[in-house]
């Protein structure tokens, strides 16, 4: 998830943008170059943080955001995704059957039932629960061999939520904070209003900022990066816009 490079030329030392600890040349081994946003989410630009912040704050919350985005993709049956789910219908009673779903690039869905991971009785009952339905072939004139009868299975998919929404939003906060630091440099770190943000990133489990929020909106590309909102005065803030990319899509 992260990579290290030998860091040369830190003649004057450097500050970790998250904990604000100072490191001089002798402390090279305590510093880490990492992608921001995380590499697993399509990030390319490097940012230098200390190893502790990278491990404690970084990886734990990066993983949460990746899991949250994967869940959005799975629950939305997004193209180019693969996932395993538990499914059930009336025939399986309170038991479930395990199925692997593959969503192709044109949104075609392939479902494979996994016998060894399913309740054996529920599995057999599910197979037998195939239903036939009839649609008037007159309405399907494009399909010359269509008899009107189709077979299918009706079932529901068990929804499970593994990701922690709050930790995911702290990861978004960390990405935005580090982008602002990358653009503005060390001067950005001396803004005392950001102490709380740093504290929150350092201790993601504590509730330092109540309900951190973010907007999922397709802003034009020219807005990417750091934006300063100055009017109205009450909404004065930094607005940081960035893309995230997973194997299945862009956000
Ligand atoms: Zn640090």
């Amino acid at each position: 998830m992260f990579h290290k490079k030998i860091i040369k030329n830190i003649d004057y030392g450097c500050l970790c943008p998250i904990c604000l600890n100072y490191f001089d040349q002798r402390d090279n081994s305590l510093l880490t170059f990492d992608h921001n946003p995380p590499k697993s989410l399509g990030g390319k630009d490097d940012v230098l943080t200390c190893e502790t912040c990278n491990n404690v704050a970084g990886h734990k919350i990066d993983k949460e955001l990746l899991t949250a985005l994967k869940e959005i993709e799975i629950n939305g049956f997004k193209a180019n995704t693969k996932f395993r789910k538990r499914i059930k219908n009336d025939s399986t009673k309170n038991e479930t059957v395990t199925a692997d779903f593959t969503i192709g690039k044109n949104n075609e869905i392939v479902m494979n039932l996994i016998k060894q991971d399913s309740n054996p009785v529920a599995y057999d009952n599910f197979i037998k629960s195939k239903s036939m339905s009839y649609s008037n072939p007159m309405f399907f004139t494009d399909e010359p061999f269509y008899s009107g009868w189709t077979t299918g299975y009706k079932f529901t998919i068990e929804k499970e939520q593994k990701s922690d929404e709050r930790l995911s939003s702290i990861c978004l906060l960390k990405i935005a904070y580090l982008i602002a630091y990358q653009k503005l440099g060390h001067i950005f770190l001396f803004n005392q209003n950001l102490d709380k943000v740093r504290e929150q990133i350092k201790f993601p489990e504590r509730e330092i900022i109540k309900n951190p929020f973010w907007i999922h909106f397709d802003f034009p590309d020219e807005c990417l990066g750091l934006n300063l909102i100055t009017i109205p005065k009450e909404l004065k803030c930094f607005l940081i816009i960035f893309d995230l990319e997973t194997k299945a899509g862009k956000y």
Side-chain angles (χ1 to χ4, degrees):
M1 197 97 118
F2 72 101
H3 65 282
K4 249 193 223 174
K5 288 179 195 163
I6 296 166
I7 302 155
K8 296 173 190 159
N9 304 327
I10 323 177
D11 295 343
Y12 304 102
C14 89
L15 285 179
C16 166
I18 297 173
C19 62
L20 299 191
N21 283 330
Y22 171 76
F23 298 87
D24 68 17
Q25 305 98 305
R26 287 163 300 174
D27 301 325
N28 275 1
S29 61
L30 303 172
L31 293 165
T32 302
F33 259 122
D34 204 358
H35 288 299
N36 185 54
K39 198 178 172 194
S40 53
L41 292 166
K44 290 180 188 81
D45 293 332
D46 278 336
V47 64
L48 193 62
T49 57
C50 81
E51 187 118 27
T52 312
C53 289
N54 195 297
N55 287 334
V56 176
H59 291 174
K60 201 186 296 173
I61 54 178
D62 291 355
K63 225 174 70 203
E64 285 301 329
L65 182 59
L66 188 63
T67 313
L69 291 178
K70 275 193 179 151
E71 272 170 9
I72 294 173
E73 287 160 6
I74 288 169
N75 293 335
F77 281 78
K78 218 169 152 69
N80 298 319
T81 50
K82 270 186 186 170
F83 48 92
R84 179 165 285 197
K85 283 278 176 191
R86 300 199 155 268
I87 59 173
K88 60 182 176 185
N89 65 12
D90 290 344
S91 77
T92 62
K93 306 268 175 359
N94 292 324
E95 296 294 342
T96 55
V97 174
T98 302
D100 278 345
F101 290 88
T102 307
I103 318 296
K105 64 175 190 299
N106 299 315
N107 289 314
E108 65 279 13
I109 300 173
V110 176
M111 180 177 88
N112 275 317
L113 299 180
I114 312 296
K115 192 171 185 176
Q116 60 270 33
D117 276 340
S118 306
N119 175 287
V121 181
Y123 180 88
D124 288 340
N125 288 340
F126 185 85
I127 298 282
K128 284 183 220 144
S129 70
K130 187 162 71 176
S131 60
M132 305 271 289
S133 61
Y134 184 77
S135 312
N136 192 331
M138 294 259 296
F139 298 119
F140 295 88
T141 48
D142 289 351
E143 294 173 51
F145 304 110
Y146 184 63
S147 67
W149 287 99
T150 47
T151 53
Y153 292 95
K154 274 188 187 160
F155 57 88
T156 53
I157 299 177
E158 281 202 344
K159 210 171 162 182
E160 47 191 315
Q161 198 185 353
K162 285 191 202 137
S163 70
D164 183 313
E165 210 175 306
R166 192 180 150 79
L167 287 183
S168 315
S169 51
I170 291 165
C171 185
L172 292 170
L173 181 71
K174 182 196 71 162
I175 295 170
Y177 171 79
L178 289 177
I179 288 175
Y181 163 68
Q182 283 166 300
K183 298 274 185 249
L184 298 174
H186 280 75
I187 194 81
F188 177 69
L189 304 179
F190 300 116
N191 184 339
Q192 282 188 349
N193 294 332
L194 295 167
D195 283 349
K196 271 195 158 188
V197 174
R198 281 187 282 267
E199 205 61 12
Q200 181 64 86
I201 297 169
K202 245 166 52 181
F203 304 106
E205 264 101 17
R206 292 189 200 160
E207 194 177 313
I208 295 160
I209 298 175
K210 269 194 192 280
N211 307 322
F213 77 98
W214 47 281
I215 313 163
H216 185 199
F217 183 76
D218 199 7
F219 287 98
D221 274 0
E222 55 266 32
C223 295
L224 279 174
L226 179 71
N227 299 270
L228 291 174
I229 309 289
T230 49
I231 305 169
K233 234 170 68 189
E234 297 72 32
L235 290 181
K236 223 168 141 186
C237 68
F238 295 114
L239 176 67
I240 295 133
I241 300 169
F242 53 90
D243 284 331
L244 294 176
E245 210 173 327
T246 65
K247 279 185 191 132
K250 235 181 167 187
Y251 298 87

